Amino acid sequence: MPELPEVESARQVVEAGGLHREIADVDDTDTYECRPHQPGDLRTALVGRSLTAAHRQGKSMWCDTSGDGPALGIHLGMSGRIVITSPEGERVVGGDYEGTPKVPRVAKDEWYRFTLTFADGGTLRLLDKRRLGRVRLDPDLSALGPDAEHVGREEFRERVGKGTAPLKARLLDQSVVAGIGNLLADEVLWRAKLDPRRPAGELRTSELDELRRQLRAGIRHAVKHGGVHTGEVIPHRASGEHCPRCGAPMVRATVGGRTTWWCSQEQGTL
DNA sequence: CCATATGTTAAAAG
DNA sequence: ACTTTTAACATATG
């Protein structure tokens, strides 16, 4: 689930409750989640330090550490959430799946893939049911494009409006613009009334500007209301559903390698 | 058993 | 050489 809005939520949770607490122990024994590190690598690097700041670019987040230590990179993958507990055991969850009824309220212990135990007795854990998330030291973010929430108009035009790949594939490419996932892409394309299948390079400048406008609006809405699931068209990504604006049938196909839904009338310009 | 899933990326194809 | 597409990754669920 985690796309830019959820990762921002997770980042805020870490910023509010995970900083300046001494790290007393680290469980980095999940060798897939912590790839390519070996068990003990993260523990050795982090014990005795504390997190001092939480950053995000696109769907990647990382924390600075005290004493000039390495950055702690966290990627939530397809199902990651951050769970922080206070010394008294109170839980705060970041990047939660608002509106997804399938996620059980109580997680199984084995879904916790990485744990920082603080000297005060609390913890910061990565809860990742599908195990495609990642924790690593000094993550390489050089391949990421500018953050989707802050990319400028000129840069957006140049990066998104080129190539023969479908517009949606272009939006999902994290090296073009970072932070857009499958649901947010559908939401934003619907808001901008653009056909996801159109070759990105064929868009007019006015269409790219409107797309960026709706991208920012869609992100703001999702951050404010609790995740990409709160988007207007998201509940209508299902067979038999209709466009909440015009009532025309929603249609489905694979675009950019991902299941894609769009309004057959307003976005059917191909 | 089959299909699907909010992400990334290496490999293959063009 | 560069861009685009596909498959694989690990796991859960309907």
Side-chain angles (χ1 to χ4, degrees):
Chain A
M1 140 219 197
E3 303 187 31
L4 188 157
E6 289 76 20
V7 180
E8 175 58 21
S9 154
R11 189 201 67 78
Q12 288 176 13
V13 163
V14 171
E15 188 171 66
L19 304 185
H20 313 300
R21 300 169 72 181
E22 185 186 340
I23 298 166
D25 198 7
V26 179
D27 182 346
D28 59 0
T29 53
D30 188 319
T31 54
Y32 189 79
E33 203 84 2
C34 298
R35 64 196 182 282
H37 296 298
Q38 294 299 309
D41 287 354
L42 286 111
R43 177 209 285 255
T44 299
L46 297 173
V47 166
R49 303 185 189 277
S50 60
L51 309 181
T52 57
H55 309 281
R56 178 191 65 75
Q57 183 174 342
K59 305 172 196 171
S60 293
M61 62 178 287
W62 68 96
C63 298
D64 297 331
T65 61
S66 62
D68 206 29
L72 174 63
I74 300 175
H75 197 294
L76 301 180
M78 284 282 259
S79 61
R81 280 172 288 178
I82 296 293
V83 181
I84 294 181
T85 57
S86 71
E88 295 77 33
E90 298 168 57
R91 263 170 49 126
V92 180
V93 179
D96 209 347
Y97 295 62
E98 294 295 334
T100 49
K102 292 168 191 166
V103 177
R105 288 160 61 189
V106 178
K108 296 180 183 175
D109 282 348
E110 57 264 35
W111 291 343
Y112 289 99
R113 314 291 184 180
F114 177 79
T115 299
L116 297 180
T117 301
F118 297 114
D120 62 25
T123 61
L124 183 159
R125 288 176 292 173
L126 172 59
L127 173 62
D128 182 13
K129 186 158 62 166
R130 285 173 59 184
R131 212 185 177 206
L132 286 169
R134 193 164 191 176
V135 180
R136 62 181 315 183
L137 300 172
D138 290 324
D140 179 12
L141 307 172
S142 62
L144 285 182
D147 187 80
E149 189 177 6
H150 303 113
V151 59
R153 187 175 60 177
E154 283 297 330
E155 197 170 18
F156 186 83
R157 289 176 182 171
E158 289 167 13
R159 287 178 163 271
V160 177
K162 66 190 266 189
T164 60
L167 175 57
K168 177 168 177 182
R170 198 81 190 146
L171 288 177
L172 290 175
D173 186 338
Q174 304 299 299
S175 69
V176 174
V177 164
I180 304 171
N182 197 36
L183 295 184
L184 186 59
D186 278 6
E187 173 74 10
V188 166
L189 287 167
W190 174 80
R191 293 181 71 124
K193 300 182 181 178
L194 290 170
D195 191 318
R197 302 166 298 177
R198 277 179 65 189
E202 292 182 6
L203 292 206
R204 295 187 295 273
T205 300
S206 59
E207 292 175 316
L208 288 167
D209 288 351
E210 177 64 9
L211 177 57
R212 172 172 168 274
R213 178 182 179 74
Q214 295 306 329
L215 171 62
R216 297 179 357 143
I219 291 172
R220 278 199 306 274
H221 185 279
V223 169
K224 181 177 178 182
H225 292 87
V228 288
H229 272 91
T230 63
E232 285 182 61
V233 85
I234 302 305
H236 303 277
R237 296 173 81 260
S239 56
E241 282 291 334
H242 300 270
C243 172
R245 247 182 345 225
C246 78
M250 296 292 291
V251 288
R252 176 197 144 130
T254 297
V255 180
R258 317 286 269 129
T259 295
T260 302
W261 291 88
W262 68 95
C263 170
S264 56
Q265 184 166 311
E266 297 176 334
Q267 298 172 268
T269 59
L270 191 63

